[in-house]
Structure formats: structure tokens, C-alpha cells
Amino acid sequence: MWWLIWIVLVLAALGAAVLLALRLWRQVKALGREGRALSDAAARLDGAGEDVGPVRPVHVPGVAGDPLSLERARTTRERVKVARSVQRQGRLDRSAARWRRYGLLDTTPAPSVVRDRGN
């Protein structure tokens, strides 16, 4: 009786090995097809750049552009920095007033963080 069980187990193992080998063979064939397609695409790309002239850099307006746009970006940045520091000072003043109401801050004024246009 044991010989029958062993025969079934060996046949099942052989069948699993055949199925595994078949799947592996199909994957190797698919990999070969993809490799051929990739080499064809690489050959087309190699030949595509020969008839094109030198590439000119694309002009991008902005901070790296002309001096006028650079100056405009600097003034905008300064304006934003000043507006943020005014907002920050307002928050500091409000929190210092709230702390004074609760007796947590004596008569010490809130520190000034407002930026001048020169800073």
C-alpha cells in the first residue's frame, strides 16, 4: 500500500516540476522578446539624433532670466518677508497681551521682529 502512496507523490512532484519548467520557459521567451524590442528601440534612438542640429537652451523667464525679472523677484521676496514679519509681530503682541491679562508676563514688552525694508 505504501508503494502506491509513494508513486502518487513522485508523479505529483514530477508534474509540479514540469509545470514549473514550462512557466520558466515561457518567461524566458517573453524576456527575449522584450530584449529584442528594447534593442530595436535603442537602434531607432541612435539613428534619430543624427539629423538634428545643435540643441539651443530654452529661455525660461524668472529668477534665472533677465535682470528685470530678477529685480522684480527680489522686490516681491522683500515685500513678502516684510508682510510676514508684520504678521508675526501682530501674533507676538496678541499673545503678550493675553499673557499679561493672566499675569504671566509682567511689564516686559513683546520683542520686536518687524523687518524694515533695509533688512
Side-chain angles (χ1 to χ4, degrees):
M1 182 69 181
W2 282 106
W3 58 271
L4 184 61
I5 293 173
W6 278 105
I7 290 176
V8 170
L9 287 175
V10 167
L11 289 177
L14 288 175
V18 167
L19 290 176
L20 184 65
L22 184 62
R23 180 180 170 100
L24 183 63
W25 175 250
R26 287 180 182 165
Q27 286 181 346
V28 166
K29 282 178 36 178
L31 182 63
R33 281 192 303 269
E34 291 294 324
R36 265 194 313 277
L38 185 62
S39 68
D40 292 344
R44 282 195 313 256
L45 284 176
D46 285 341
E50 295 170 357
D51 57 348
V52 178
V55 177
R56 292 180 52 220
V58 177
H59 173 70
V60 178
V63 181
D66 59 317
L68 179 65
S69 63
L70 183 59
E71 186 58 35
R72 194 176 325 129
R74 284 183 180 149
T75 56
T76 302
R77 182 175 181 262
E78 274 303 313
R79 190 175 64 241
V80 167
K81 283 170 59 174
V82 168
R84 285 181 179 170
S85 67
V86 167
Q87 287 175 348
R88 189 177 312 120
Q89 185 65 45
R91 286 192 307 268
L92 272 173
D93 291 340
R94 288 190 304 273
S95 64
R98 188 172 50 245
W99 283 38
R100 274 191 213 95
R101 262 195 328 257
Y102 295 126
L104 298 173
L105 191 65
D106 294 331
T107 58
T108 310
S112 177
V113 293
V114 174
R115 291 180 182 260
D116 295 334
R117 284 225 177 237
N119 276 347

